[in-house]
Amino acid sequence: MGGLIIKSTEAINQKDISYNMKYILCIIYALIYLVLGLTLDSPKNIFEGMLIILQEPSVLMTDYIEIAGRGAPFVNGGIVTLMAIGLLWVQKIDITGVAMATLSLLTGFSLFGKNILNVCIIILGVFIYSKIQRDKFNKYLYVALLGTCLGPVFSFLLFDTPYGLLGRILLSTTIGLLVGMILPSVATSLLKVHQGFVLYNVGFASGLIGTMLLAILKAYDIEVQSRAIWSEGNNLIMGWFLFFFFIITIVLGYIYNGRKVSNLKNIFAYAGKLMSDFVALEGFGITLINMGINGLLGLGYVLLIGGELSGPVIGGILTMYGFGAYGKHIKNMLPIFGGLLLGSIVNAWTLNEPGVIVATLFATGLAPIPGKFGWPYGIVAGFLTAIAASHIGMLHGGLNLYNVGFTTGIVAIFLIPIIEAFKKEDYYEA
Amino acid sequence: MKHNNKRVCKIIDELTTFLLFVGATDININVKNREKEYLIFINSDFERKNEKQIQKLIKGITSPKQEEIEEYYWELTGESDVSGEFNLVGIMIDKAEVKVEGNHISIELMRKK
């Protein structure tokens, strides 16, 4: 390393794909889900299904596939994802790992809670916040897109409260915009609390906001009825679709990565803590390969334990897939799965219960803990997340779609100080 | 943009923490607060056995600036003393230059206001 001089303008960033090509691939990704939806049902059923989705309170757990048929939720997901891509494009944002994780999250959650109506109000709220700050909206766009997990706040107040139409419109719009306006500051400040060990930081922030909001609503005798609506019988169609989708992702990544996989070990070397943007750090091609592997792991796990590929479960698999660009890889996720396995061994739960499957898939948001501190801590983190998830949901009544994200935040702020207290003084890794 | 001074302090915090962990015994930090930008100069020694860590630092702080990510994540900079957030430093600065000679590293960073 003697005499080495590196400038940022000369930095060795793997330019394996152009700015525009990344956008084209993202659009194709969204269109795949849109077209899938269009092929799964008749136009009439899709239209009626979309109307049902738009008028749903959408609090957890509302599986859109169960209430609106198979086609409409995927059409909804495709449109929501295209809207997000459009916003990224207008704001001239380069597609990196965080963008890919965000888009996958939007597609997945559009199967159970996010829709083209309720995401807009949160985004608009964040936009107003950026104007109040006299700042560019592009600086807050990721928080806006991720913060759409609070979409049910708007939907619930608009469609499930005992007031006249005008009152409901005023209430839902006002609260929806306010939620969007307070989210950026809450989300940013919470990063310090868990030091970046929680990949779903906005979920953590949204959980706190949802909890406060539920308390306020209860004070005015407005009850939020959480639900448990799950679909069944999608395994054959969705299993094959997702399998081929993940394989295509891997093949595409292989091509963009110069037809090699040897640098996959570079990704496995990262703990996965925020911000581990694999696209920026290791390149686009190898990141796609990692994403595909993550997707196959999630899908394989669900099918292996005899689980159902319901909307929320597909959402969980797509989240694992997306975060393959932003912190998650097979090495730091497996200990989390181990924690869930441990829970089933000691009879805390049955692995293939819908709620447990969802908790398992989303608990991988704590993958940085085993990534940094080792697998035993990952097992503990996974176990605690699954135990806490069902109870923590009661705090926000399902108004925050990222319930497990909120849970992982709480588990992390409990666990990290304990782990660090027992680590030796000079434990540090770049 | 809010908290501009604090952001610069956090960048310095992150890099100082790292340098101490790679065996620095003599760190010199100079900050120039100009009308349109901040300039940060850091000169330090390090233990040769930590060259791999130095490579990680270089990879991170020379990554391109990303305003859209900075606004959300900047508070994370300098928060952890178990791991580095060099990629985050990279997205917060407009220009970086790193020179490594033997066991000595000099870092020059420029951040526009």
Side-chain angles (χ1 to χ4, degrees):
Chain A
M1 266 178 76
L4 178 72
I5 301 175
I6 293 184
K7 298 181 182 181
S8 54
T9 48
E10 303 162 359
I12 310 154
N13 285 307
Q14 299 184 38
K15 297 287 181 198
D16 49 359
I17 185 167
S18 71
Y19 176 95
N20 288 340
M21 194 61 206
K22 282 191 274 190
Y23 268 99
I24 290 166
L25 287 176
C26 286
I27 291 166
I28 291 169
Y29 159 79
L31 288 175
I32 286 170
Y33 283 88
L34 186 66
V35 171
L36 174 74
L38 293 170
T39 56
L40 285 176
D41 218 335
S42 68
K44 180 177 172 289
N45 286 351
I46 289 168
F47 180 75
E48 286 170 359
M50 283 299 287
L51 289 178
I52 291 168
I53 285 171
L54 294 179
Q55 294 174 74
E56 264 300 309
S58 295
V59 294
L60 281 178
M61 187 64 82
T62 308
D63 187 343
Y64 285 164
I65 296 175
E66 180 66 14
I67 60 163
R70 277 196 192 134
F74 289 99
V75 171
N76 177 53
I79 296 170
V80 167
T81 311
L82 283 170
M83 281 164 58
I85 294 166
L87 279 170
L88 291 166
W89 174 260
V90 167
Q91 295 296 325
K92 298 182 174 67
I93 290 173
D94 187 22
I95 299 287
T96 56
V98 63
M100 288 155 84
T102 303
L103 293 175
S104 302
L105 208 62
L106 281 163
T107 314
F109 276 85
S110 296
L111 304 177
F112 68 109
K114 294 184 184 185
N115 61 54
I116 52 181
L117 180 65
N118 68 17
V119 298
C120 291
I121 202 79
I122 305 295
I123 293 168
L124 190 60
V126 177
F127 176 78
I128 292 167
Y129 173 81
S130 73
K131 293 300 140 195
I132 291 168
Q133 297 294 329
R134 292 178 186 165
D135 224 337
K136 288 185 268 185
F137 179 51
N138 74 353
K139 292 183 181 180
Y140 304 95
L141 185 54
Y142 283 123
V143 179
L145 293 175
L146 292 165
T148 52
C149 60
L150 286 164
V153 170
F154 174 77
S155 294
F156 168 77
L157 293 172
L158 183 59
F159 297 112
D160 209 13
T161 44
Y163 306 116
L165 181 62
L166 187 64
R168 283 186 282 128
I169 290 170
L170 279 171
L171 184 68
S172 59
T173 307
T174 307
I175 302 288
L177 290 174
L178 278 172
V179 159
M181 286 161 68
I182 63 172
L183 185 60
S185 46
V186 177
T188 304
S189 69
L190 281 178
L191 283 163
K192 289 187 290 189
V193 176
H194 57 76
Q195 298 173 32
F197 281 97
V198 177
L199 292 177
Y200 312 142
N201 181 59
V202 171
F204 186 24
S206 300
L208 285 178
I209 292 169
T211 301
M212 291 305 299
L213 193 61
L214 186 71
I216 293 165
L217 293 175
K218 276 190 173 175
Y220 290 95
D221 293 325
I222 299 171
E223 285 295 327
V224 182
Q225 296 294 331
S226 55
R227 306 149 154 215
I229 302 169
W230 307 85
S231 63
E232 288 183 357
N234 311 310
N235 284 23
L236 188 66
I237 293 173
M238 289 317 302
W240 281 112
F241 166 78
L242 289 170
F243 176 75
F244 283 116
F245 176 72
F246 297 142
I247 292 293
I248 287 165
T249 304
I250 291 170
V251 170
L252 200 64
Y254 182 72
I255 292 164
Y256 275 111
N257 196 43
R259 299 181 192 278
K260 65 180 196 295
V261 288
S262 55
N263 49 340
L264 192 60
K265 66 181 186 299
N266 295 355
I267 283 183
F268 292 168
Y270 289 98
K273 213 169 141 276
L274 292 174
M275 283 183 42
S276 300
D277 190 323
F278 295 149
V279 176
L281 291 165
E282 297 299 331
F284 187 78
I286 196 62
T287 300
L288 281 185
I289 294 172
N290 188 53
M291 288 168 75
I293 292 170
N294 284 6
L296 288 175
L297 172 69
L299 178 67
Y301 171 79
V302 173
L303 296 177
L304 191 72
I305 60 167
E308 288 285 341
L309 290 171
S310 58
V313 169
I314 295 167
I317 294 169
L318 285 179
T319 302
M320 276 176 63
Y321 166 82
F323 274 83
Y326 201 57
K328 291 184 188 180
H329 50 72
I330 197 163
K331 196 176 158 193
N332 66 6
M333 284 193 298
L334 281 177
I336 303 287
F337 282 89
L340 274 292
L341 193 64
L342 175 71
S344 74
I345 290 167
V346 297
N347 290 326
W349 50 70
T350 310
L351 277 180
N352 61 1
E353 284 173 19
V356 175
I357 296 173
V358 168
T360 308
L361 298 171
F362 285 109
T364 53
L366 284 178
I369 290 180
K372 176 56 72 181
F373 300 112
W375 63 266
Y377 296 105
I379 289 174
V380 173
F383 183 77
L384 290 177
T385 301
I387 279 203
S390 59
H391 298 285
I392 283 167
M394 287 184 262
L395 295 175
H396 55 81
L399 291 173
N400 167 33
L401 291 173
Y402 303 161
N403 177 51
V404 183
F406 182 31
T407 310
T408 56
I410 289 169
V411 169
I413 59 174
F414 164 74
L415 206 56
I416 302 293
I418 296 169
I419 296 170
E420 289 191 352
F422 291 96
K423 281 279 174 192
K424 61 179 196 277
E425 182 67 31
D426 57 353
Y427 176 82
Y428 182 90
E429 200 181 326
Chain B
M1 188 187 291
K2 285 186 175 179
H3 315 294
N4 234 329
N5 293 339
K6 189 67 188 169
R7 293 179 203 219
V8 171
C9 294
K10 279 180 158 285
I11 289 169
I12 293 164
D13 185 338
E14 185 71 57
L15 297 176
T16 310
T17 304
F18 167 76
L19 290 166
L20 289 169
F21 272 104
V22 293
T25 57
D26 185 8
I27 306 172
N28 288 293
I29 299 167
N30 180 275
V31 181
K32 294 191 190 303
N33 181 3
R34 295 194 173 156
E35 191 186 347
K36 290 183 178 175
E37 77 261 342
Y38 295 94
L39 295 173
I40 304 164
F41 302 92
I42 301 175
N43 284 292
S44 173
D45 61 332
F46 65 91
E47 286 177 354
R48 291 295 290 266
K49 65 178 184 187
N50 290 313
E51 282 189 351
K52 249 188 177 171
Q53 309 270 55
I54 296 288
Q55 292 281 18
K56 282 187 183 177
L57 169 83
I58 293 168
K59 196 177 197 174
I61 68 171
T62 56
S63 58
K65 186 178 170 85
Q66 287 176 277
E67 270 189 334
E68 67 275 9
I69 295 178
E70 179 191 331
E71 202 53 43
Y72 175 23
Y73 288 111
W74 73 271
E75 291 235 35
L76 204 54
T77 324
E79 279 303 313
S80 176
D81 65 346
V82 296
S83 65
E85 291 295 342
F86 313 133
N87 191 28
L88 197 44
V89 172
I91 66 163
M92 288 171 75
I93 54 177
D94 294 86
K95 217 167 94 183
E97 191 172 322
V98 185
K99 289 180 193 166
V100 180
E101 287 180 64
N103 72 329
H104 186 269
I105 182 167
S106 62
I107 302 165
E108 290 182 23
L109 307 175
M110 189 270 279
R111 175 178 159 81
K112 288 178 185 165
K113 287 186 176 175

